[in-house]
Amino acid sequence: MGKWLARLTALGVALVLAAPVTAAQAADPATTGKKTVRIGSIQSVDSMNPFLAVRLIAGQLQRWTYMFLTAPDPKTLQPGPDLAESWESSEDGLTWTFKIRQAKWSDGQPVTAHDAAWTFNKIMTDDAAKTGNGPAVENFESVTATDDRTLVIKTKAPQASMLSNPIPIVPKHVWEKVGDMATFENETYPAVTNGAYIPIEHKKDNYVKLKANPDYWQGKPKIDELQVIFYENPEAAIAGLKKGDIDLIGRLAAPQFEAGAGDPNIVQWNTPGRRAAYLQINHGVTTSDDKPIGDGHPALKDLKVRQAIHHAIDKQALVDQVQNGLAVPANGSIVPPMYTDFFWEATGEDKISFDLAKANQILDEAGYKKGDDGVRTMPDGKRKLEMRFSIHTDTPHEDKLAQFLTGWFKEIGITLTTRKLDSNKFAEETGSTALFDIAISGWSVNPDPEEVLATHLCSRRPTPSGEGGGTESFYCDKQYEDLYQAQLKELDPTKRADLIKQMQQRLYTDAPVIAIYYPNNLELYRKDRITSITPIPSGKQGEGILYGGASGYPMITLDAPAVATGGSAQGGGSNTGMIIGIVAAAVVVLGAGGFLLSRRRKTTSDERE
Amino acid sequence: MATPLETEPAAVQTAAGSGDDRPAYRGTLRYAVTKLGGALLSIGMVIVATFFLFRLIPGDPVIAYTRDVPLSPDQIDLLRKQMGLDKPLMQQFADFVLRTLQFDLGTSYEYKRPVADLIGERFGPTLLLAGVGLVIAVSLGLWQGTRAAWHHGGRLDRFSTGVSLVLWSVPTFWLGLLLLMVLGAGIGPIPGLFPTRGMESVDAPDGFGYVLDVAHHMVLPCLTLVAVVYAQYLLVMRSSLLDEIGQDYVTTARAKGLRDDMVRRRHAIPNALLPTVTLVFIHIGFVVGGAVSVETVYSWPGLGLLFYEAIKGPDFAVMQGTFMVVCVAVIIMNTLADVAYHVLDPRVRSA
């Protein structure tokens, strides 16, 4: 009897576990013909309130759900119309006038210039609302709507990056009712938005569902529903992609990307990236009141030494060995070649190539003599060229990088010791206290590179009390500052791009940072599920970014086959197989419990005998 | 609080074999009160330690948190103020203690929401996963441990001890990924059978369908957890039962001609269970902390995941809050274990 009971229990449990499949099948007729695309994200959404959210994924969602004043043109990445149909700036560059598009919020209310004015003013006046995009309005003097269609922004100083404003415009009639911005979660669904999609559901650390907005100004997206599904673990996400639980995943590291090889349904989308990886060099750094701080090696103050180091880096080898070939060696500075308009590349005399003999020669000439042990000393003979290389604790590829650098530096008489720091300590030592010699760093660049350029300004150095201001190099250089100010005022795109190139040239030749490579943008998607998608930039080769770029355009162009029958939630594998598998596993897991039960029954009856 | 109990007639005079003629539960009560005092003291120490521990972590939380965000000095000042870092240390400490005593664990830097709320939301999923896992692991482990010890040296013993030693040494994360690859995504002829992530499907049905959907999602994480945890129970149960089997009273019982099964169930097992009681209680404490590895592999929206995300942030408020909740849970469970031990084992009572 007992045994049978146990078996029945096990069978029951197995059926229970198998049931979701049947449930999904039963539910299918209702969803027939629906086009859904599921995007995997390795970051969860921190907040649906655009005034508070800081994570990249939240920024992406905003690009898909709200209109911005302007959006990058999908072909050229130059600012193009979005909420603003057109714009002009005054002669002195201090006043901008935007013509607002005639559009509707998803609750049917008209979109007006007052919405935009309210959004900007909120950020300018409410400290809590500054969290997400505060710096973007720092230079704003006033924002007013002169009528429903006209928005006027006055700035304190010229701001050429005005047309790359990162702030989503929210509906005033909904948001002015919000009491405390700091705690408002904005989770009433469907949300009121005006972008390509409307958020309809959000489960924290789980998923976000968006439906296509039929009133979107560029036309209703081709798919009906876009889902963003959170995976804590990239390996699990790749497994999910292979199985068909998700259709697209971006922002991958090389090994994860390579795991997508060999699957006939998966496209490996390997394109130029928006990131630059560089070495940060302690070139004798100072606080914002010009007092030296930190304990950087004195030799690094010498430009000759920095140049010698630059000569001792085989960037191609690093690309091949550290990035598995999935990067481009850097012959420029902090702006990657993806941004063709702003990218500067070293040529002629400027160009520093891998040349150990040259590096040795430079150091010899500068008076750094090699000792018997092969290590050089300072010209005054006091200190050996023994330096530290700071990397993060948990990033294996940085270990590899360190090994290569150590080898080359040894050839030129510099001893390099690797220091592994956890991210906090790393951020502190390389960002405010300057307790480092050479460190690894990198930055993702937006279509307008002003932000990354600003991380090398004097004002970004730590304050006298030692608090960091967001510097990437502790750099403070008159020439660089002047160029930065000039590009802020320059409203002619070509002339401005030229100034920005000159800034990169200055960084390249003065070497407070040394760019080593530009990692590619690595994405995987299922071609059986995504039938068409337009990357950005979609210009010459059509080889841009799908997910994670500074525009929502690819997600607007998505198309997918309508799901006719079966497995929208389960995807991939055969249902019969799934049922068999579930039954088997259920028996394994819970049959044990049943067996226990049967044992118990048997022994008690034994005892009774 | 304890008074009414103490004045009650002592109906439990028969308390077994303690050589103590006071009512057994009164002793237990006194013991419990002492333990409770100890626990409260420990909790107090945890609160103090938490504050200073998280300030010992190198790096300025504001700088660390805003690492990849371009911020002006004004913005940084603002954040510092929001996080309460602009006040003198002792005042921060006083604020912290006061708030903690009111169960206010501060506000998450990243989610901008009260940490207590975040922990509350993730408590359920963790309890569900780890609770079910623990129940299965305990029953399986105790049962197999008993078998192994009873048939000590036999094939079953060698096999199950071998398996559990392997499972015990395997990193949870690795085992989880392996199961995920094989049973989740499917390899070769094996089709993908289980969801690769989370606690529910995006299009999960309502009502009973939802329960089934969650059960379906639970299979792999639960299997991983059970595989890793049950080995401990098996090994502890096995060794403690082996100890008992060698005791005179077992030999006596057998010599009396009692059935093997009876000797095992009535004599040996109850005594051998004692060490596992502690283990169970301690594990329940850790259940609250969530199985960080399992939750991370399967993106299970529980406390473990919350903690892991907070470390990545770094979101000090969340780290601090979760740390404290886990410590307190372990303290409480340890205290309960002590009391349970006291009730179960006469030897502890007389000591």
Side-chain angles (χ1 to χ4, degrees):
Chain A
M1 266 306 277
K3 254 182 203 167
W4 282 108
L5 191 76
R7 280 173 198 164
L8 269 176
T9 318
L11 185 68
V13 173
L15 284 175
V16 160
L17 290 172
V21 182
T22 11
Q25 275 170 337
D28 262 323
T31 57
T32 297
K34 192 164 152 188
K35 292 179 175 182
T36 305
V37 171
R38 294 154 299 176
I39 296 170
S41 163
I42 305 169
Q43 206 178 30
S44 70
V45 178
D46 51 346
S47 174
M48 293 299 281
N49 178 343
F51 293 96
L52 298 183
V54 293
R55 289 193 182 166
L56 285 166
I57 176 67
Q60 284 296 313
L61 277 171
Q62 291 163 17
R63 289 276 168 194
W64 303 334
T65 50
Y66 290 97
M67 278 198 226
F68 290 62
L69 270 189
T70 58
D73 180 274
K75 285 204 168 62
T76 62
L77 292 184
Q78 288 295 324
D82 199 25
L83 180 66
E85 283 176 327
S86 60
W87 49 83
E88 57 190 25
S89 66
S90 63
E91 198 74 358
D92 59 2
L94 293 174
T95 308
W96 291 77
T97 312
F98 294 89
K99 176 107 194 312
I100 301 299
R101 181 181 304 283
Q102 207 129 27
K104 261 199 295 186
W105 292 105
S106 52
D107 62 356
Q109 300 272 343
V111 175
T112 68
H114 297 282
D115 293 314
W118 187 87
T119 305
F120 289 125
N121 279 305
K122 185 74 188 167
I123 301 178
M124 288 156 68
T125 53
D126 182 343
D127 273 354
K130 281 193 170 71
T131 317
N133 286 306
V137 296
E138 222 170 292
N139 187 33
F140 284 16
E141 180 75 50
S142 71
V143 183
T144 43
T146 50
D147 60 56
D148 275 3
R149 302 261 75 86
T150 315
L151 182 78
V152 179
I153 300 180
K154 289 201 159 77
T155 58
K156 297 172 194 158
Q159 185 172 342
S161 60
M162 173 61 80
L163 298 175
S164 306
N165 189 289
I167 296 172
I169 305 303
V170 301
K172 180 185 172 202
H173 64 277
V174 174
W175 284 80
E176 64 188 353
K177 294 181 196 125
V178 173
D180 181 7
M181 189 59 89
T183 56
F184 182 64
E185 294 183 42
N186 187 29
E187 299 211 6
T188 319
Y189 298 109
V192 181
T193 65
N194 56 2
Y197 295 94
I198 304 163
I200 49 170
E201 198 183 330
H202 174 210
K203 283 231 163 140
K204 290 196 182 70
D205 283 350
N206 213 333
Y207 59 79
V208 183
K209 277 194 206 177
L210 314 163
K211 70 163 191 199
N213 179 4
D215 298 326
Y216 182 54
W217 75 272
Q218 298 195 62
K220 180 179 184 275
K222 298 188 195 84
I223 59 165
D224 302 293
E225 193 168 301
L226 187 64
Q227 300 174 348
V228 182
I229 298 176
F230 167 61
Y231 277 87
E232 175 65 48
N233 180 333
E235 276 72 29
I238 302 294
L241 184 81
K242 287 188 165 181
K243 189 186 165 200
D245 284 349
I246 50 172
D247 309 320
L248 164 75
I249 183 154
R251 309 182 65 83
L252 295 172
Q256 295 153 6
F257 179 75
E258 282 166 351
D263 190 317
N265 286 321
I266 292 178
V267 176
Q268 286 184 294
W269 193 255
N270 170 18
T271 56
R274 54 190 283 240
R275 196 173 171 81
Y278 44 85
L279 301 179
Q280 183 186 341
I281 300 190
N282 193 329
H283 51 90
V285 305
T286 50
T287 53
S288 55
D289 58 347
D290 296 321
K291 298 237 167 59
I293 43 162
D295 62 356
H297 197 287
L300 291 170
K301 289 183 189 170
D302 188 345
L303 175 62
K304 290 271 187 310
V305 175
R306 301 204 292 273
Q307 279 171 343
I309 285 175
H310 200 160
H311 275 295
I313 303 169
D314 185 349
K315 293 168 180 172
Q316 184 63 53
L318 292 180
V319 167
D320 295 340
Q321 305 295 326
V322 177
Q323 290 289 320
N324 302 20
L326 300 167
V328 177
N331 285 320
S333 189
I334 52 176
V335 176
M338 171 190 170
Y339 298 110
T340 40
D341 292 331
F342 295 115
F343 175 63
W344 172 84
E345 189 166 17
T347 48
E349 273 187 22
D350 277 339
K351 187 168 174 178
I352 296 186
S353 46
F354 177 56
D355 188 345
L356 293 174
K358 180 88 184 282
N360 270 314
Q361 190 197 332
I362 292 174
L363 291 172
D364 283 339
E365 284 168 5
Y368 296 86
K369 290 198 184 62
K370 250 187 201 173
D372 296 336
D373 54 358
V375 181
R376 293 179 188 274
T377 44
M378 298 280 293
D380 59 10
K382 278 186 188 146
R383 197 162 158 187
K384 286 191 171 183
L385 296 198
E386 288 167 336
M387 298 175 189
R388 299 159 294 178
F389 182 46
S390 304
I391 63 171
H392 296 90
T393 335
D394 48 358
T395 39
H397 76 269
E398 291 181 6
D399 274 316
K400 250 181 169 176
L401 176 74
Q403 284 169 21
F404 279 99
L405 289 183
T406 309
W408 294 320
F409 283 21
K410 194 173 173 222
E411 303 270 314
I412 63 167
I414 297 176
T415 311
L416 201 62
T417 3
T418 306
R419 288 185 75 212
K420 290 190 186 191
L421 303 170
D422 73 72
S423 55
N424 274 333
K425 189 124 185 106
F426 188 93
E428 184 182 67
E429 293 195 354
T430 65
S432 50
T433 56
L435 303 175
F436 73 103
D437 294 322
I438 301 173
I440 181 75
S441 198
W443 199 277
S444 287
V445 182
N446 285 326
D448 189 308
E450 188 181 302
E451 176 186 314
V452 66
L453 298 173
T455 61
H456 301 279
L457 291 176
C458 296
S459 57
R460 289 300 184 89
R461 290 174 300 166
T463 58
S465 56
E467 282 152 16
T471 182
E472 272 291 288
S473 59
F474 298 87
Y475 198 45
C476 185
D477 177 66
K478 175 94 178 42
Q479 195 181 332
Y480 188 84
E481 298 287 312
D482 290 347
L483 287 166
Y484 182 84
Q485 293 306 328
Q487 66 83 30
L488 270 186
K489 294 191 188 80
E490 184 52 69
L491 300 177
D492 179 283
T494 323
K495 286 184 189 153
R496 177 165 178 252
D498 186 55
L499 291 167
I500 285 173
K501 286 180 188 173
Q502 287 181 45
M503 294 177 80
Q504 294 174 67
Q505 183 177 16
R506 180 74 189 139
L507 281 178
Y508 185 87
T509 49
D510 204 24
V513 293
I514 297 173
I516 46 181
Y517 49 69
Y518 307 110
N520 288 3
N521 191 60
L522 305 173
E523 300 174 279
L524 297 171
Y525 72 88
R526 291 187 70 92
K527 62 178 170 212
D528 56 338
R529 293 277 316 134
I530 294 180
T531 48
S532 81
I533 181 169
T534 314
I536 46 154
S538 54
K540 295 154 216 157
Q541 295 91 18
E543 289 210 329
I545 292 175
L546 300 178
Y547 158 84
S551 155
Y553 191 71
M555 294 307 139
I556 299 167
T557 65
L558 268 181
D559 202 0
V563 178
T565 48
S568 76
Q570 319 294 341
S574 95
N575 282 344
T576 329
M578 198 185 305
I579 293 171
I580 295 169
I582 292 168
V583 171
V587 169
V588 171
V589 179
L590 292 139
F595 194 48
L596 248 187
L597 199 71
S598 84
R599 287 300 310 163
R600 199 183 156 74
R601 282 273 173 157
K602 209 165 98 193
T603 29
T604 23
S605 65
D606 282 349
E607 271 175 9
R608 271 191 232 112
E609 279 169 21
Chain B
M1 182 183 78
T3 334
L5 272 177
E6 281 184 357
T7 50
E8 250 177 65
V12 263
Q13 282 288 3
T14 47
S18 64
D20 187 346
D21 54 5
R22 279 171 302 160
Y25 75 89
R26 213 198 261 180
T28 304
L29 194 69
R30 181 167 307 158
Y31 183 79
V33 169
T34 326
K35 282 288 162 188
L36 188 69
L40 286 176
L41 189 70
S42 311
I43 291 175
M45 278 157 68
V46 163
I47 294 178
V48 176
T50 308
F51 180 83
F52 290 102
L53 190 71
F54 281 82
R55 262 141 201 87
L56 280 181
I57 292 180
D60 177 339
V62 180
I63 300 298
Y65 176 57
T66 57
R67 175 65 176 160
D68 285 329
V69 191
L71 288 181
S72 67
D74 282 355
Q75 277 259 292
I76 288 173
D77 280 350
L78 183 67
L79 275 173
R80 198 173 294 280
K81 222 160 87 188
Q82 280 175 2
M83 295 179 190
L85 294 170
D86 55 333
K87 295 179 192 152
L89 190 69
M90 280 338 273
Q91 197 188 333
Q92 283 183 43
F93 178 64
D95 288 352
F96 175 78
V97 173
L98 270 177
R99 278 192 293 110
T100 307
L101 292 179
Q102 295 160 25
F103 299 103
D104 175 358
L105 301 178
T107 307
S108 159
Y109 301 167
E110 281 204 288
Y111 293 94
K112 317 285 179 317
R113 301 180 51 219
V115 173
D117 286 8
L118 288 170
I119 292 179
E121 271 168 22
R122 277 140 180 97
F123 198 81
T126 291
L127 207 62
L128 177 69
L129 171 63
V132 171
L134 194 63
V135 168
I136 298 176
V138 170
S139 5
L140 203 65
L142 294 190
W143 169 66
Q144 274 207 354
T146 315
R147 308 290 302 175
W150 210 252
H151 303 287
H152 161 63
R155 216 185 317 156
L156 177 93
D157 180 29
R158 275 176 292 150
F159 177 73
S160 59
T161 312
V163 168
S164 51
L165 280 176
V166 169
L167 287 178
W168 199 8
S169 348
V170 157
T172 317
F173 197 81
W174 181 83
L175 183 70
L177 269 181
L178 196 74
L179 286 174
L180 181 87
M181 300 290 174
V182 177
L183 296 173
I187 280 183
I190 309 171
L193 301 173
F194 296 99
T196 45
R197 62 161 296 282
M199 198 176 88
E200 61 200 350
S201 303
V202 178
D203 297 311
D206 289 336
F208 188 58
Y210 178 75
V211 176
L212 299 181
D213 186 57
V214 172
H216 191 201
H217 279 76
M218 243 173 86
V219 176
L220 284 187
C222 215
L223 194 63
T224 314
L225 202 61
V226 168
V228 179
V229 174
Y230 106 102
Q232 291 182 51
Y233 287 96
L234 188 150
L235 295 172
V236 169
M237 189 62 196
R238 178 180 175 274
S239 71
S240 90
L241 189 58
L242 274 180
D243 281 352
E244 298 300 330
I245 289 172
Q247 300 280 331
D248 289 345
Y249 75 93
V250 175
T251 318
T252 314
R254 275 180 163 163
K256 282 199 294 186
L258 289 178
R259 294 172 44 81
D260 220 28
D261 212 40
M262 182 87 141
V263 176
R264 187 170 71 215
R265 298 189 56 79
R266 285 280 168 80
H267 297 260
I269 292 183
N271 287 316
L273 267 176
L274 283 170
T276 48
V277 170
T278 330
L279 197 58
V280 171
F281 274 101
I282 289 175
H283 264 151
I284 294 176
F286 283 111
V287 159
V288 177
V292 177
S293 306
V294 175
E295 290 189 3
T296 308
V297 173
Y298 293 100
S299 319
W300 186 270
L303 281 179
L305 195 71
L306 181 69
F307 190 63
Y308 187 75
E309 282 270 296
I311 294 174
K312 283 203 298 190
D315 192 333
F316 289 97
V318 172
M319 280 159 79
Q320 215 165 279
T322 349
F323 175 78
M324 222 161 13
V325 166
V326 173
C327 284
V328 169
V330 171
I331 291 171
I332 292 175
M333 285 305 150
N334 257 325
T335 313
L336 288 180
D338 281 345
V339 175
Y341 227 94
H342 188 81
V343 175
L344 290 175
D345 190 349
R347 285 169 298 185
V348 180
R349 231 176 290 158
S350 58

